[in-house]
Amino acid sequence: MYNVKKITDDLFWVGGNDRRLALFENVYPIPEGISYNSYVLMDEKTVLLDTADSAIMELFMENVKAVLNGRKLDYIIVNHMEPDHSASLMRIAELYPEARIVTSAKAKTMMGQFFDFDMDRVDVVKEGDTLTTGRHTLTFVAAPMVHWPEVIFTFDQTDGTLFSADAFGTFGALNGNLFADEVNFETEWLASARRYYTNIVGKYGPQVQKVLEKAGGLNIRRICPLHGPVWRENIGWFIDRYQHWATCTPEDKGVVIFVGSIYGHTQNAADVLASAIADEGIHNVKVYDVSVTDASYLLAEAFRASHLVFASATYNNEIFTNMEHFLMELKEHAFHSRTVAVMENGTWAPQSGKKIRAMLEEMKDMTVLDQTVTFKSAPKEAQRADILALAKAVADAVKAS
Ligand code: FEO
């Protein structure tokens, strides 16, 4: 049965939800599910903006047919060629053989790589080109690396609607409500949006900043992303979140302690540190075991907080495996500009602290506090003073920021 949502009198959401997929991109856990958004504009000409993942292909096709209500489809605009939005393109192109496919040059090349259909149907557009469909005039905005190089945004100049591809998207299936102003986005969705941005697009902060600058010149009244809720109110607040994430600027003054512990002794020291930081008056403190919490959540938390602590056992004379993996994730996502502290453990030769510092040096503008804690096997009372001194150094740094 079709399931569509009306956005304006002539714009409709024709996407769907996936609550069965365990790993988005076969990497990121999505216990909250995901939506694949697609839109139909009903003007003198009809326009489909992006398609959908194969998981919801049948529902998506039914939705498109329901909105078109017997009319033919004139245009299919492809803003992004990643298969979560293009897997249904071949089927919809076969169903509506007269539809022209409108996209960027790079996306056309990718279409030829993913599919076998007549490329003479594909019209290439570039930044600033327009398509008039009757009442609406659509213009195209290049958005390379948000999230792939072929990405374009489509801006409806008539109604101020920005079709923003992956930008302004979020993990999370839609639960009946399509609009961000119909839910408590800050408490129910923001963490998912941050995890989505930082993991999927986080590496490309400078490119996102460029697109945000371009978006600043548009009279945006509505944002229709490819995942998650549609924005029509308080758009500036969400753009401001994006500006923080794109520039790797902390959202919260506070501390996150990441712990790599084998038998619980490093965890013990980290909890003593967390208590002492709270006793110093810094109550925004979180502790995560890097072997328990998936790295995608850890990355998002690193982007959120102003101060970080890495507390790790030594393993095979290296950083404990899962801590090393997390630090690699930070580096590969171009994480930068934080004040951090290090705590190390090792039963016969503590090495993790030195090696963590070396990995942090490969990231831009990281300030590592001189104060540190080293212990062998298990923290003893003799180390309490060191831990309290580290807590004071971290707390002082937070207060001074
Ligand atoms: Fe939602 Fe980059 O695809």
Side-chain angles (χ1 to χ4, degrees), residues 24-25 80 82 84 143-151 153 165-167 196 199-201 204:
F24 185 72
E25 293 185 358
H80 186 17
E82 193 164 9
D84 55 332
M145 301 319 298
V146 186
H147 138 234
W148 278 14
E150 89 296 1
V151 172
F153 292 173
D166 276 338
Y196 171 84
N199 285 276
I200 306 291
V201 198
Y204 306 110

Coordinates of all heavy atoms in Angstrom, one line a residue, residues 24-25 80 82 84 143-151 153 165-167 196 199-201 204:
F24 N 24.3 0.4 8.1 CA 24.3 1.3 7.0 C 25.7 1.4 6.3 O 26.7 1.4 7.0 CB 23.9 2.7 7.5 CG 23.7 3.7 6.4 CD1 22.6 3.7 5.6 CD2 24.6 4.7 6.2 CE1 22.4 4.6 4.6 CE2 24.5 5.7 5.2 CZ 23.4 5.6 4.4
E25 N 25.7 1.3 5.0 CA 26.9 1.2 4.2 C 27.7 -0.1 4.7 O 29.0 -0.1 4.5 CB 27.8 2.4 4.3 CG 27.2 3.6 3.6 CD 28.1 4.9 3.6 OE1 29.2 4.8 4.2 OE2 27.7 5.9 3.1
H80 N 22.4 12.6 -6.4 CA 23.4 11.8 -5.8 C 23.3 10.3 -6.3 O 22.2 9.8 -6.3 CB 23.3 11.8 -4.2 CG 24.3 11.1 -3.4 ND1 25.6 10.8 -3.9 CD2 24.4 10.8 -2.1 CE1 26.3 10.2 -3.0 NE2 25.6 10.2 -1.9
E82 N 24.9 7.5 -5.1 CA 25.2 6.4 -4.2 C 23.9 5.5 -4.2 O 22.8 6.0 -4.2 CB 25.5 6.9 -2.8 CG 26.1 5.8 -1.9 CD 26.7 6.3 -0.7 OE1 26.6 7.5 -0.3 OE2 27.4 5.5 0.0
D84 N 22.1 4.0 -2.2 CA 21.0 4.1 -1.3 C 20.0 5.1 -1.8 O 18.8 5.2 -1.4 CB 21.4 4.5 0.2 CG 22.3 5.8 0.2 OD1 23.0 6.0 -0.7 OD2 22.3 6.4 1.3
A143 N 27.8 20.4 -5.4 CA 28.1 20.2 -3.9 C 29.1 19.0 -3.9 O 28.8 18.0 -3.2 CB 26.8 19.9 -3.2
P144 N 30.3 19.1 -4.5 CA 31.2 18.0 -4.6 C 31.6 17.6 -3.2 O 31.9 18.4 -2.3 CB 32.4 18.5 -5.4 CG 32.3 20.0 -5.3 CD 30.8 20.3 -5.2
M145 N 31.7 16.2 -3.0 CA 32.2 15.6 -1.8 C 31.2 15.8 -0.6 O 31.6 15.6 0.6 CB 33.6 16.1 -1.4 CG 34.6 15.8 -2.4 SD 34.5 14.1 -3.2 CE 34.7 13.0 -1.9
V146 N 30.0 16.1 -0.9 CA 28.9 16.1 0.1 C 27.8 15.2 -0.3 O 26.8 15.6 -0.7 CB 28.3 17.6 0.3 CG1 27.4 17.6 1.5 CG2 29.4 18.6 0.4
H147 N 28.1 13.9 -0.5 CA 29.2 13.2 0.1 C 30.1 12.5 -0.9 O 31.2 12.1 -0.5 CB 28.5 12.2 1.1 CG 28.9 10.8 1.2 ND1 28.1 9.7 1.1 CD2 30.1 10.3 1.6 CE1 28.7 8.6 1.4 NE2 29.9 9.0 1.7
W148 N 29.7 12.4 -2.2 CA 30.5 11.9 -3.3 C 30.9 13.1 -4.2 O 30.2 14.2 -4.1 CB 29.8 10.8 -4.0 CG 29.8 9.4 -3.4 CD1 30.2 9.1 -2.1 CD2 29.3 8.2 -4.0 NE1 30.0 7.7 -2.0 CE2 29.5 7.2 -3.1 CE3 28.8 7.9 -5.3 CZ2 29.2 5.8 -3.4 CZ3 28.5 6.6 -5.6 CH2 28.7 5.6 -4.7
P149 N 31.8 12.9 -5.1 CA 32.2 14.0 -6.0 C 31.1 14.5 -7.0 O 31.2 15.6 -7.5 CB 33.4 13.5 -6.7 CG 33.3 12.0 -6.7 CD 32.6 11.7 -5.4
E150 N 30.2 13.6 -7.3 CA 29.2 14.0 -8.3 C 28.0 14.8 -7.8 O 27.1 15.2 -8.6 CB 28.7 12.7 -9.0 CG 27.5 12.0 -8.3 CD 27.7 11.5 -6.9 OE1 28.8 11.7 -6.4 OE2 26.7 11.0 -6.3
V151 N 27.9 15.0 -6.5 CA 26.7 15.5 -5.9 C 26.3 16.9 -6.3 O 27.2 17.8 -6.5 CB 26.8 15.5 -4.3 CG1 25.6 16.2 -3.7 CG2 26.9 14.0 -3.8
F153 N 23.0 19.8 -5.5 CA 21.8 20.2 -4.8 C 20.9 20.8 -5.9 O 21.3 21.4 -6.9 CB 22.0 21.3 -3.8 CG 22.8 20.9 -2.6 CD1 23.1 21.8 -1.6 CD2 23.2 19.5 -2.4 CE1 23.9 21.5 -0.5 CE2 24.0 19.2 -1.2 CZ 24.3 20.2 -0.3
A165 N 20.4 16.6 -1.0 CA 21.1 15.3 -1.1 C 21.4 14.8 0.3 O 20.5 14.9 1.2 CB 22.4 15.4 -1.9
D166 N 22.6 14.3 0.6 CA 22.9 13.7 1.9 C 23.0 14.8 3.0 O 22.8 14.5 4.2 CB 24.2 13.0 1.9 CG 24.1 11.6 1.5 OD1 23.0 11.0 1.5 OD2 25.1 11.0 1.0
A167 N 23.3 16.1 2.6 CA 23.4 17.1 3.6 C 22.1 17.4 4.4 O 21.0 17.3 3.8 CB 23.8 18.4 2.9
Y196 N 25.4 10.7 12.0 CA 25.3 10.5 10.6 C 26.3 11.5 9.9 O 27.1 11.1 9.1 CB 23.9 10.9 10.1 CG 23.7 11.0 8.6 CD1 23.5 9.8 7.8 CD2 23.8 12.2 8.0 CE1 23.4 9.9 6.5 CE2 23.7 12.3 6.6 CZ 23.5 11.2 5.9 OH 23.4 11.3 4.5
N199 N 30.3 10.7 10.6 CA 30.8 9.5 10.0 C 30.7 9.5 8.5 O 31.6 9.0 7.9 CB 30.0 8.2 10.6 CG 30.5 7.9 12.0 OD1 31.5 7.2 12.2 ND2 29.8 8.4 13.0
I200 N 29.6 10.0 8.0 CA 29.4 9.9 6.5 C 30.1 11.1 5.8 O 30.7 10.9 4.8 CB 27.9 10.0 6.2 CG1 27.1 8.9 7.0 CG2 27.6 9.8 4.7 CD1 27.4 7.5 6.6
V201 N 30.0 12.3 6.3 CA 30.5 13.5 5.6 C 31.6 14.2 6.4 O 32.2 15.1 5.9 CB 29.3 14.5 5.4 CG1 29.7 15.4 4.3 CG2 28.0 13.8 5.0
Y204 N 34.8 15.7 5.1 CA 34.8 16.7 4.1 C 34.3 18.0 4.6 O 33.6 18.8 3.9 CB 33.9 16.2 2.9 CG 34.4 14.9 2.4 CD1 33.6 13.7 2.6 CD2 35.6 14.7 1.7 CE1 34.1 12.5 2.1 CE2 36.1 13.5 1.3 CZ 35.3 12.4 1.5 OH 35.7 11.2 1.1

